[in-house]
Every structure is written in C-alpha cells, then in structure tokens.
Amino acid sequence: MPARNESGGAPRSIPPRTAPRAGGQPPQAIPPGRPVRASAGPVRPTPVRSAPRPPAGSGRGGSGYPGGALASGGRGGGGSNIRIRKGRVAGVIAVLVLLAIIAWPVGLLIWANGKIQHVEALSGAPNTPGTTYLLAGSDARGSGGINDSTSGARTDTIMLLHKPSSGPVALISIPRDTWAVMPDGSGSNKINAAYSYGGAPMLVKTVETLSGLTVDHYVEVGFGGVEGVVDAVGGVRLCLDYDVHDVKSKLKWKKGCHVADGKTALAFSRMRYADPTGDIGRGQRQQQVIGQIGKKVADPAVLLNPATQVGIADAGLAALVTDTDSGIIDIATMGLAFRSANGDDGVTGTPPIASIGFRTPSGASAVLLDENQTPEFWAKIRDGGYEAGQEVGGMPK
C-alpha cells in the first residue's frame, strides 16, 4: 500500500531497497511502526554482544555461575559458603578472646576488692606532701602467730612507706619497741602498745606524731597472709649470714641463702631473740621478705598465671584489713611503691637510734630514737632528700 504524506498530500513513494554494493553492509530490517529516518549514508547495524561462556569446570554442581562469583557474595556452590563461615567463626573467636582478656582482670579486681576488710583508721590530719602508707603486721593469733592470751592485741611489724612528690620512694621500719609519745595524753610507751590501747586509729596517730607525716592509707596484714602468699608464689630466696636455732620463732637456719617456704619465711621475719641487733635486724629481714615476694610476683610466669593470681590474692586478701577509703587499686599502687623502695632506686632503713637498751620508768627495755637526728631524718624522707640506693638511719655509727 502506498505511504500517505503526513501533510495530507499525495502519497510519497518509497523506492525499493537494492542489494548493497560490494563491501557494503546488509540492509537493516525496519521494525514495524518505527518512523523512517533519512540518512545521508548507509545505515550501520548495532553490534550484538553476547555474554562470555564460563570456562569449562568453573561452575560447581552445574550452577552455571562463573568461578569466583561466590567469593564476592554470589550464591551457589557450598565450598565458598564454607569459606565465608570459617571467616565469621574466626572473627567471633577473636572477639571472645578479646573480651576474655579484658574481663578476667576486671573480674579479678572486683572479686579481690570484695575480700578486703575495712576499719576506721585515718586521723583526718592535714595532708603532707607525697603519699604515705602505714603497714602494720598484726600479731593476729591463729593467722600465723604464736597462740597466747594477747590474741590480736599487738603489731610486731610497723613500716612507713612514703612516696614523695619527687625523689626516691622510702620504706622505713619502725622497731616495735620504739619509745614514743602516746597521742591520748597518757605519756610515752612502746609504740606497739598504741595498737593495744586504741587499735588502728591510735596506732596511726602515734606514727603521725612520731614522724610528722600524715598517713594516707592504712594496711594491716595478719602474719598468716605472709605465709600463704609465700607458698602461693612457690617460695622465696632469703639470706642470713649466721646460723639460727630460735625456740620462740621456731626458726632453724643454716648460714647462707636458701629458698624458704611460707612457714620458714614467717619465722625468718619474726625472729629477734637470736638476732644480735634485736628489733633492728628483724626489721631488715622483714623488708627482705617483702622485697623477695615482690620480685616473685613480678615474674611473668607467676604474674600471667590465672591460677597463681587467684592463689596469691586469696591468701593475701583473706588476712588483709585497710582503712575505709582504700581499695584494691590502692593496695596495688602500694605494691608498686614497695617494689620501687626495695630496688636500686629506693631508700630503706630505720629512724636514727640512740640506744636499743633504753630502760623505761617501769624497767622494761625499749628502743630510744636519737632526738637530735630524728627530726631531720623524717624531713628528708618527706621531701625525697635521700639519694636512691641508700640505707638510712639505724644504729649509731
């Protein structure tokens, strides 16, 4: 049928298609209903692209997906899904391990903090520079002491640990028989009598009166705690340069250095009657025991062993009492200060002593401090004025 002109005129004739010239392109079919566009040249066909066939063996289970499609999130063969699941499992395990690493020390701290007993101890006196810890070794019978009628009434060990604002940390042993002024107005007495008369609060005030330092943290340890901790770390190496067979402390020691278990370490730290310097030597041995415990606890084989951590905490904290404001973090900080004081960068010793045979008005023997040297001694401890590595105070030279 002849084509009709769109303007309504006579129909326009469409010339018949002719065969292409040599080398030309074949004519394209014109889709029905599509307007004809005039072209100055021959019409070029649109090339048809076909999808590439997957190489032989690339699909699994006849899925028809090209290889690698599943690794990028495609669906199909089970092998790639296994790879995805393995990756997810590894990620979950990594997260669980990380949570365990974080949760273990946090849980241990919470558990340990709950085992600490607290007592009113601090005096509320104005602060002095630095941080001062008072450590009392309570002669709590039934926890490693010697059973007698004065159960829990004495402090055989009194140590003042001071971390100054600048300068070395100092660990000072105060002999238990030190003649000191009692802050209750009753006069002077042996310093360990303060605990008998008024417990931790009176002992704190007596030490503050003696030293001029305000106690920031009070820590009381039953002797059974020392024994348990030493056993928990597998024993400590102690040294003494003379033989001992002391009936009261039950210490039997052969001259030299030996690895001591908890029971022996406790006797080692309590013995004084067989010591030619009495309380002075005992204080030095107590510092040795504490220093060796600190070294053993810092050993990675001990420090990173969860079972040992629990054993140490359980043995030590069961016999521990602190002031109401101190917790496990304060105890840990004190432990680090102890370690520093007993190292090459610390200061150890006792206050300057005038006599270890001073006779009290009642005729008892006591330790008399040198009243001329003691004020300067405590001032230098407070201000970090001693050189690191020094052993200070002690007997007259």
Side-chain angles (χ1 to χ4, degrees):
M1 179 176 179
R4 185 178 294 274
N5 193 328
E6 294 178 1
S7 61
R12 181 169 56 89
S13 61
I14 299 173
R17 294 183 181 272
T18 58
R21 298 177 186 176
Q25 298 292 331
Q28 288 182 308
I30 301 174
R34 184 174 180 178
V36 179
R37 183 179 63 180
S39 175
V43 178
R44 295 182 179 179
T46 303
V48 178
R49 296 180 181 177
S50 59
R53 291 183 180 180
S58 63
R60 297 199 179 202
S63 66
Y65 285 92
L70 297 178
S72 60
R75 300 185 302 176
S80 295
N81 277 340
I82 291 175
R83 286 198 296 273
I84 292 173
R85 284 196 287 269
K86 283 183 178 178
R88 289 176 179 172
V89 168
V92 170
I93 292 174
V95 171
L96 291 176
V97 170
L98 180 60
L99 289 175
I101 291 173
I102 296 172
W104 168 252
V106 172
L108 184 63
L109 285 176
I110 294 173
W111 171 79
N113 205 56
K115 291 182 70 68
I116 300 173
Q117 303 173 66
H118 298 280
V119 65
E120 292 287 346
L122 303 184
S123 67
N127 290 332
T128 48
T131 304
T132 304
Y133 302 84
L134 174 59
L135 176 66
S138 173
D139 197 8
R141 315 309 180 180
S143 64
I146 303 171
N147 294 315
D148 62 23
S149 60
T150 58
S151 178
R154 299 180 298 194
T155 48
D156 275 3
T157 302
I158 302 172
M159 293 184 182
L160 207 59
L161 178 68
H162 182 69
K163 184 177 181 181
S165 301
S166 63
V169 179
L171 177 60
I172 305 302
S173 292
I174 302 174
R176 54 167 265 172
D177 289 340
T178 298
W179 193 244
V181 175
M182 298 291 106
D184 62 354
S186 62
S188 296
N189 208 325
K190 293 181 181 181
I191 197 168
N192 72 332
Y195 189 88
S196 300
Y197 294 156
M202 188 163 175
L203 178 62
V204 167
K205 290 180 182 179
T206 305
V207 171
E208 288 179 340
T209 302
L210 179 74
S211 66
L213 297 170
T214 297
V215 173
D216 300 297
H217 302 281
Y218 173 80
V219 179
E220 182 181 325
V221 181
F223 283 114
V226 175
E227 183 175 346
V229 169
V230 171
D231 284 336
V233 299
V236 292
R237 187 173 183 269
L238 303 174
C239 300
L240 192 59
D241 58 3
Y242 55 89
D243 295 339
V244 175
H245 187 185
D246 185 64
V247 176
K248 290 198 173 184
S249 67
K250 299 181 181 179
L251 176 65
K252 294 181 180 180
W253 191 268
K254 186 177 180 180
K255 178 180 178 180
C257 297
H258 310 284
V259 175
D261 61 7
K263 185 177 180 180
T264 304
L266 177 59
F268 184 91
S269 64
R270 299 198 66 206
M271 186 272 291
R272 66 170 177 151
Y273 290 101
D275 191 318
T277 58
D279 259 355
I280 310 306
R282 177 164 66 173
Q284 293 169 345
R285 289 193 308 280
Q286 289 169 348
Q287 291 181 1
Q288 185 182 162
V289 171
I290 291 173
Q292 291 301 312
I293 290 174
K295 287 182 180 179
K296 204 67 181 288
V297 170
D299 184 342
V302 173
L303 186 64
L304 301 179
N305 186 324
T308 307
Q309 290 175 2
V310 172
I312 294 170
D314 195 36
L317 297 177
L320 199 68
V321 178
T322 72
D323 63 89
T324 54
D325 296 331
S326 296
I328 192 66
I329 300 299
D330 300 299
I331 294 172
T333 304
M334 183 188 74
L336 294 175
F338 257 113
R339 185 181 175 190
S340 178
N342 279 284
D344 295 334
D345 297 329
V347 171
T348 58
T350 60
I353 295 170
S355 172
I356 61 173
F358 172 73
R359 289 297 167 183
T360 69
S362 64
S365 179
V367 174
L368 183 66
L369 301 184
D370 189 320
E371 61 180 8
N372 295 320
Q373 298 182 38
T374 298
E376 182 184 359
F377 169 85
W378 288 118
K380 293 182 75 172
I381 293 295
R382 178 195 64 207
D383 300 332
Y386 285 109
E387 292 183 9
Q390 272 189 283
E391 187 172 337
V392 298
M395 299 287 291
K397 298 184 174 57

